[in-house]
């Protein structure tokens, strides 16, 4: 896909799922801690990727689960 084309919602959803899977898997070096990313392993435990993925997944779920 060329860089200048807009990203589809489906591509964003798959990216969000990969981020969520990475954050809730286990770290190979210490199996009792969630893997996450380097930002999550820091001292303040805030991660912009995880925040975006959770917000995007919640947005998609709210659209999919609307009552008509």
């Amino acid at each position: 896909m060329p860089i200048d084309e807009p990203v589809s919602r489906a591509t964003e959803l798959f990216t969000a799922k990969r981020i969520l899977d990475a954050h809730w898997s286990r770290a190979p070096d210490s199996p009792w801690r969630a893997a996450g990313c380097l930002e999550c392993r820091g001292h303040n435990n805030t991660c912009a990727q995880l925040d975006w993925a959770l917000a995007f997944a919640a947005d998609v779920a709210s659209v999919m689960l609307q009552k008509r």
Side-chain angles (χ1 to χ4, degrees):
M1 171 174 25
I3 293 175
D4 58 347
E5 289 187 17
V7 177
S8 69
R9 297 277 288 177
T11 303
E12 285 182 323
L13 184 61
F14 286 117
T15 303
K17 184 182 179 327
R18 282 197 311 251
I19 291 170
L20 292 173
D21 288 345
H23 282 80
W24 275 290
S25 62
R26 294 291 173 191
D29 56 341
S30 62
W32 298 109
R33 186 176 69 189
C37 62
L38 293 177
E39 290 182 46
C40 292
R41 291 183 182 199
H43 35 77
N44 58 1
N45 291 335
T46 58
C47 180
Q49 284 185 349
L50 182 60
D51 293 341
W52 173 82
L54 289 171
F56 187 78
D59 181 46
V60 169
S62 70
V63 170
M64 291 177 61
L65 301 174
Q66 286 179 353
K67 282 190 168 183
R68 293 191 182 227

